[in-house]
Amino acid sequence: MEPFDFDLFVIGAGSGGVRASRLAAATGARVAVAEDRYPGGTCVNAGCIPKKLFVYGAQYARDFAEASGYGWQLSEPRFDWAQLRDNKTREINRLQGIYSQLLEKANVQLLTGRARLEGPHTVMINDTRYSARHILLAPGARPFVPSFPGSEHVDVSDQMFDLDQFPGSILIVGGGYIAVEFAGIFHELGAETHLCFRRDLLLNGFDMDMRHHLQNALRGRGVKLHPERTITRIDKQDDGSLLVTWDDGETASVDRALYATGRLPNTQGMGLEEAGVALDARGAVVVDSNFQTSIPSIFALGDVIDRLQLTPVALAEANALVNYLYGDNKPIVMDYDNIATAVFSQPCVATVGLSEEQARDQYKDIKIFRSSFRTLKSRLGGSEEQTLMKLVVDSHSDRVLGCHMAGPDAGEIIQGFAVALKAGATKKLFDSTVGVHPTSAEEFVTMRG
């Protein structure tokens, strides 16, 4: 008789948890996964996927505005929030079903409920106790809202996808991915949009040129920016609107307030500390290079370990862990360098490798190549917005250290160049590559100045 109910018990059916579950089951392991909200996790249900659908919806505003330059005579377009929201919901429900089917076909048992650790090999869920040889923690992260007078009146990103009514005005607080993406979405869809952030520039950690470019672009599009400001209180008015008070005493009235001020590892109420699993100051699970926690039988990956909160990173970590546990058992060597990322702001910002500032700190001598231009499409469309592309190169080895872009389709374009950087491509190799004309992407292989 088997000493455990399962070989692997996974807590969290997000991207990393589902990938690990399916791969482990494919090796013959007996696997269960517990999920207390929805299959697919944040990315599928309240993150990447619905957000990108909303971004697509928002982009039509500019497409309609520029269509006349291409001969299309349109009546005044009208946006229907309920239709976008409900169509999004149908697509998310479809994806939830696919995730459930994937687990079922892989012979992974899906358990619904909040799981709690009771020991190195024991999990309690819905008053039922299960034992497992190994336990994997993959519960993701949750939005963080600081405590201040009126914080109970604000929304977090999870709530933005299902609003009953589209707001006429909205305050968004934060300067990272989520804040700038929702600022673009709501502004383009027609809401008066305020974006408030503590620093002087958005997207801390990104290349400085990209940060300046995005900030100027958002301002040029009409987003009301409030840099180096904080909110002291938010009061709900009799008509349901929110009166926002800034630290300088100035006030503004908005219909909704969204706080996108970071995400914390979702470790509360899981019995981790009681079971002896070490957490850091932010509540993230502490793991070694093999994703092993302070308890040898318990592992963790994805947003809950707070390394890089990106879906593809969680998937890669899951691949590596399953190979370690059920494959060659060799120590894991995860490479977190040159991971491409995109901010689906409007305009989009995408990057891979080192920023100019990071490169100057790490290398003795670097060369910078920049190109700023209006896209061909904008010539007839009428937009004056510039696209910015940039390469950071090590002068000694000629290796391209960073590749950055702000403009249409930046995420799609950077993905291809991420392969080149991963392979160690030099600027000479970029220069010798024949571009695809006419495209924006060809600029990366024609920059000489």
Side-chain angles (χ1 to χ4, degrees):
M1 185 176 179
E2 292 285 351
F4 300 105
D5 297 324
F6 297 100
D7 297 306
L8 178 66
F9 194 106
V10 181
I11 300 178
S15 300
V18 168
R19 174 65 62 86
S21 300
R22 294 174 60 212
L23 292 178
T27 70
R30 296 165 303 135
V31 183
V33 57
E35 173 58 49
D36 65 341
R37 296 187 70 187
Y38 26 50
T42 296
C43 180
V44 168
N45 296 277
C48 325
I49 302 302
K51 177 190 64 185
K52 189 69 178 292
L53 292 174
F54 279 12
V55 168
Y56 285 139
Q59 287 173 342
Y60 278 100
R62 290 179 71 83
D63 290 342
F64 287 134
E66 297 176 3
S68 62
Y70 285 88
W72 289 93
Q73 302 304 316
L74 304 174
S75 59
E76 187 68 25
R78 182 181 65 85
F79 171 63
D80 187 333
W81 165 254
Q83 187 171 352
L84 173 60
R85 179 197 63 205
D86 296 346
N87 286 346
K88 173 273 305 175
T89 298
R90 278 189 287 273
E91 174 60 13
I92 298 309
N93 289 340
R94 185 187 71 85
L95 293 174
Q96 285 181 4
I98 289 175
Y99 268 75
S100 296
Q101 291 170 17
L102 288 172
L103 291 171
E104 182 180 353
K105 290 178 179 178
N107 293 318
V108 175
Q109 185 173 344
L110 176 60
L111 303 171
T112 302
R114 183 71 170 174
R116 181 180 176 86
L117 284 182
E118 290 206 334
H121 297 279
T122 309
V123 177
M124 176 72 80
I125 179 171
N126 299 332
D127 298 322
T128 302
R129 184 175 287 104
Y130 298 93
S131 63
R133 187 182 307 278
H134 293 119
I135 296 171
L136 172 60
L137 307 175
R142 55 185 172 81
F144 166 74
V145 177
S147 178
F148 65 93
S151 60
E152 68 273 15
H153 302 311
V154 309
D155 298 312
V156 294
S157 56
D158 292 15
Q159 299 162 294
M160 291 293 100
F161 302 107
D162 298 293
L163 298 178
D164 290 336
Q165 300 290 329
F166 186 78
S169 58
I170 186 169
L171 166 72
I172 299 173
V173 180
Y177 285 75
I178 297 173
V180 298
E181 288 170 341
F182 274 111
I185 289 168
F186 280 101
H187 172 72
E188 297 297 326
L189 292 180
E192 178 184 278
T193 303
H194 297 262
L195 181 57
C196 176
F197 45 102
R198 292 182 301 172
R199 299 177 185 272
D200 60 334
L201 289 173
L202 298 162
L203 295 183
N204 184 45
F206 279 69
D207 184 272
M208 196 66 77
D209 282 341
M210 298 296 130
R211 298 174 70 189
H212 280 290
H213 185 91
L214 176 63
Q215 196 145 315
N216 290 335
L218 288 174
R219 185 179 287 111
R221 288 191 177 204
V223 176
K224 300 180 184 298
L225 301 181
H226 303 273
E228 298 183 283
R229 302 185 83 179
T230 57
I231 307 297
T232 58
R233 66 180 300 116
I234 293 179
D235 296 291
K236 194 161 190 174
Q237 306 299 288
D238 292 340
D239 63 357
S241 65
L242 302 175
L243 182 66
V244 177
T245 304
W246 274 283
D247 49 1
D248 60 2
E250 186 178 347
T251 62
S253 178
V254 295
D255 293 331
R256 312 286 302 215
L258 164 64
Y259 263 67
T261 46
R263 295 176 66 84
L264 293 176
N266 190 21
T267 51
Q268 292 183 330
M270 293 178 60
L272 300 187
E273 292 178 289
E274 294 87 340
V277 176
L279 306 178
D280 69 12
R282 280 174 47 85
V285 178
V286 178
V287 296
D288 63 14
S289 59
N290 293 322
F291 303 111
Q292 193 169 41
T293 72
S294 53
I295 304 298
S297 58
I298 301 177
F299 296 79
L301 55 77
D303 291 358
V304 78
I305 65 173
D306 203 23
R307 288 183 179 175
L308 287 175
Q309 293 191 5
L310 298 171
T311 294
V313 171
L315 295 174
E317 291 171 345
N319 292 343
L321 177 61
V322 171
N323 188 56
Y324 173 69
L325 291 177
Y326 303 104
D328 59 21
N329 301 124
K330 293 181 180 179
I332 296 173
V333 181
M334 272 294 297
D335 184 3
Y336 292 99
D337 292 333
N338 289 327
I339 293 176
T341 187
V343 184
F344 295 105
S345 49
Q346 301 194 40
C348 180
V349 174
T351 180
V352 61
L354 300 181
S355 67
E356 178 180 346
E357 295 71 37
Q358 291 169 329
R360 292 195 185 282
D361 286 341
Q362 298 179 33
Y363 289 82
K364 185 176 180 180
D365 189 18
I366 64 171
K367 292 182 288 187
I368 301 298
F369 299 82
R370 295 184 190 85
S371 180
S372 181
F373 56 94
R374 286 175 64 195
T375 63
L376 179 61
K377 181 182 178 182
S378 72
R379 293 295 174 175
L380 297 189
S383 172
E384 295 294 328
E385 194 168 271
Q386 298 278 307
T387 285
L388 176 63
M389 303 171 82
K390 179 175 181 177
L391 292 175
V392 181
V393 179
D394 174 26
S395 298
H396 176 70
S397 67
D398 196 45
R399 185 163 63 91
V400 179
L401 304 174
C403 186
H404 311 274
M405 178 178 175
D409 301 315
E412 304 289 345
I413 291 170
I414 286 294
Q415 177 65 83
F417 286 99
V419 178
L421 263 68
K422 201 72 175 175
T426 61
K427 182 63 168 63
K428 182 178 180 180
L429 188 58
F430 270 55
D431 294 343
S432 67
T433 300
V434 177
V436 179
H437 183 76
T439 65
S440 295
E442 68 176 316
E443 196 71 17
F444 274 127
V445 299
T446 59
M447 280 192 277
R448 300 291 187 270

